[in-house]
């Protein structure tokens, strides 16, 4: 009897662990693709530290093109039917508008700033795991309409494409974009969703990828990455921390000097001990607290999007 109880208990634990690892699906947010926005005149200029870039103007697109709202709603509906949690683009744009002053820049006490693009702010607000870019065009042949589409699933932390689907629907008498879109994508949605699931399950095992920059404030404090603590240079202390806190010790140190370190392909845990999703900034905050509590070193963290964070040594 005792052996049976042990076996049943072990089985329940195994089943529970398996269910936990597969229960969570990635959160998604559907946005119009850059190409679609450009073709339809929905772009805006962004001053990226002196370099002018063209980026999609989602707010203008949503306010101007009713078909876009309907198309996003249709993809949202199809992904929801497959169990994916969704973040709404329009709602998150409104949240950004309500917190513009807070989101526009991060400032240190000495006035140092790190600019964020509107897309960075959107990602930070929505905190969706995957961005689905949607683009389409409709051509007419007499009374019939044909819709050609492209879907791209992008990791919102790295902007790497992890799933894609494209094609054209059969000619239809309908002129309704959502109907044409559903008819065109239906046969590929299960495969598309499966690739998103496979990618997210891989993150559970191998961690989420991020990029981290370590910088030093030029404030006359005398602290740099060659400063020594307990016989180790600060750069060595930070590198050791990365080694201890990344998944399977997976990261690469690409650059290093007395004032700068760059860590790429940093594999962060998907969730923290409380089950909360780990972002690059929350991971950098763990390092900030370690340096403060262990060596009394002041530093400040800031972020660009969800997957890139800065730790700036020398002041809060």
């Amino acid at each position: 009897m005792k052996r049976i109880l042990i076996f049943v208990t072990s089985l329940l634990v195994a089943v529970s662990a398996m269910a936990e690892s597969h229960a969570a699906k990635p959160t998604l947010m559907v946005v119009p693709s850059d190409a679609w926005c450009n073709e339809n005149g929905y772009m805006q200029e962004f001053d990226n530290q002196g370099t002018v870039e063209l980026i999609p103007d989602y707010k203008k697109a949503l306010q101007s093109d009713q078909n876009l709202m309907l198309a996003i709603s249709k993809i949202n509906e199809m992904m929801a039917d497959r169990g994916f949690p969704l973040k709404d683009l329009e709602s998150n744009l409104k949240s950004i508008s309500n917190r513009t002053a807070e989101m526009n820049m991060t400032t240190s006490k000495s006035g140092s700033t790190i600019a964020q693009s509107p897309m960075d702010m959107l990602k930070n607000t929505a905190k969706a795991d995957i961005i689905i870019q949607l683009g389409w065009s409709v051509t007419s042949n007499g009374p019939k309409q044909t819709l050609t589409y492209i879907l791209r699933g992008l990791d919102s932390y790295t902007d790497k494409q992890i799933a894609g689907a494209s094609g054209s629907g059969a000619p239809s008498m309908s002129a309704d974009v959502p109907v044409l879109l559903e008819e065109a994508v239906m046969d590929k949605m299960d495969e598309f969703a499966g690739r998103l699931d496979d990618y997210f399950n891989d993150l559970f095992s191998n961690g989420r990828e991020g990029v981290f920059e370590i910088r030093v404030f030029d404030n006359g404090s005398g602290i740099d990455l060659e400063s020594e603590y307990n016989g180790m240079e600060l750069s060595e202390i930070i590198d050791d921390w990365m080694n201890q806190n990344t998944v399977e010790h997976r990261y690469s140190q690409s650059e290093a000097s007395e004032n700068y370190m760059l860590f790429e392909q940093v594999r962060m845990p998907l969730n923290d001990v409380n089950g909360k999703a780990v972002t690059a900034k929350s991971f950098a905050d763990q390092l900030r607290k370690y340096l403060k509590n262990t060596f009394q070193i002041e530093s400040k963290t800031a972020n660009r999007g969800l997957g890139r964070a800065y730790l700036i040594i020398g002041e809060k």
Side-chain angles (χ1 to χ4, degrees):
M1 183 67 179
K2 184 176 181 180
R3 288 182 180 178
I4 294 175
L5 287 173
I6 293 174
F7 172 77
V8 171
T9 301
S10 300
L11 182 61
L12 288 174
V13 170
V15 170
S16 177
M18 185 179 298
E20 182 177 356
S21 66
H22 293 282
K25 284 183 177 286
T27 55
L28 309 176
M29 183 168 64
V30 181
V31 305
S33 69
D34 292 9
W36 186 92
C37 289
N38 188 50
E39 289 171 3
N40 290 277
Y42 302 125
M43 302 295 283
Q44 62 180 323
E45 291 186 351
F46 168 64
D47 185 357
N48 185 7
Q49 299 179 339
T51 301
V52 177
E53 300 177 2
L54 286 177
I55 60 173
D57 190 340
Y58 296 140
K59 183 176 180 179
K60 181 179 179 180
L62 289 170
Q63 291 175 342
S64 305
D65 195 315
Q66 185 178 13
N67 279 330
L68 174 61
M69 289 282 292
L70 296 172
I72 288 177
S73 295
K74 177 53 65 177
I75 298 299
N76 280 346
E77 177 186 322
M78 297 176 77
M79 296 308 296
D81 288 343
R82 288 160 177 80
F84 288 88
L86 297 160
K87 300 294 182 74
D88 182 66
L89 174 61
E90 184 178 28
S91 297
N92 281 283
L93 289 175
K94 289 179 180 178
S95 296
I96 291 173
S97 296
N98 293 335
R99 295 188 293 161
T100 299
E102 175 186 346
M103 301 293 291
N104 271 346
M105 62 181 65
T106 302
T107 309
S108 74
K109 291 180 180 177
S110 64
S112 300
T113 64
I114 295 176
Q116 292 190 85
S117 74
M119 189 61 190
D120 290 332
M121 290 188 281
L122 177 60
K123 288 180 179 179
N124 289 330
T125 302
K127 290 185 169 58
D129 297 302
I130 295 170
I131 303 294
I132 296 180
Q133 289 194 349
L134 167 65
W136 79 90
S137 61
V138 178
T139 56
S140 300
N141 185 9
K144 293 187 176 181
Q145 310 282 332
T146 300
L147 182 141
T148 300
Y149 74 93
I150 182 168
L151 284 175
R152 298 174 66 221
L154 306 176
D155 184 325
S156 60
Y157 284 63
T158 63
D159 289 328
K160 293 180 179 178
Q161 180 169 326
I162 56 180
S166 61
S168 299
S172 172
M173 296 297 290
S174 175
D176 191 347
V177 167
V179 173
L180 293 172
L181 184 60
E182 183 175 22
E183 292 174 350
V185 305
M186 181 60 72
D187 63 334
K188 294 187 179 180
M189 284 304 289
D190 287 337
E191 181 183 357
F192 182 78
R195 289 178 180 173
L196 300 182
D197 265 337
D198 290 343
Y199 181 79
F200 201 63
N201 287 332
D202 179 68
L203 296 184
F204 275 104
S205 301
N206 299 312
R208 196 192 292 278
E209 189 174 323
V211 176
F212 296 86
E213 294 186 44
I214 312 298
R215 298 179 180 271
V216 177
F217 276 122
D218 184 15
N219 59 1
S221 66
I223 298 176
D224 61 29
L225 295 172
E226 293 181 348
S227 300
E228 292 196 5
Y229 298 84
N230 299 334
M232 294 179 65
E233 289 189 354
L234 182 53
S235 61
E236 295 176 298
I237 292 171
I238 293 172
D239 187 72
D240 278 355
W241 187 91
M242 283 287 180
N243 185 58
Q244 293 297 319
N245 289 274
T246 49
V247 177
E248 300 293 334
H249 315 291
R250 295 173 63 183
Y251 69 99
S252 63
Q253 184 186 137
S254 305
E255 297 181 40
S257 70
E258 64 181 15
N259 293 313
Y260 181 70
M261 296 177 75
L262 175 63
F263 294 94
E264 297 181 297
Q265 298 175 315
V266 177
R267 289 291 187 152
M268 308 172 287
L270 192 66
N271 298 306
D272 62 18
V273 293
N274 297 315
K276 185 178 180 181
V278 174
T279 65
K281 185 178 186 302
S282 65
F283 191 70
D285 279 333
Q286 295 177 34
L287 174 56
R288 175 183 59 79
K289 293 173 184 178
Y290 170 74
L291 295 177
K292 172 65 174 178
N293 296 335
T294 309
F295 302 101
Q296 290 71 56
I297 297 173
E298 293 286 359
S299 58
K300 183 179 185 67
T301 58
N303 62 304
R304 290 283 304 270
L306 293 172
R308 191 179 193 103
Y310 302 82
L311 179 76
I312 312 174
I313 305 290
E315 66 178 66
K316 189 72 171 175

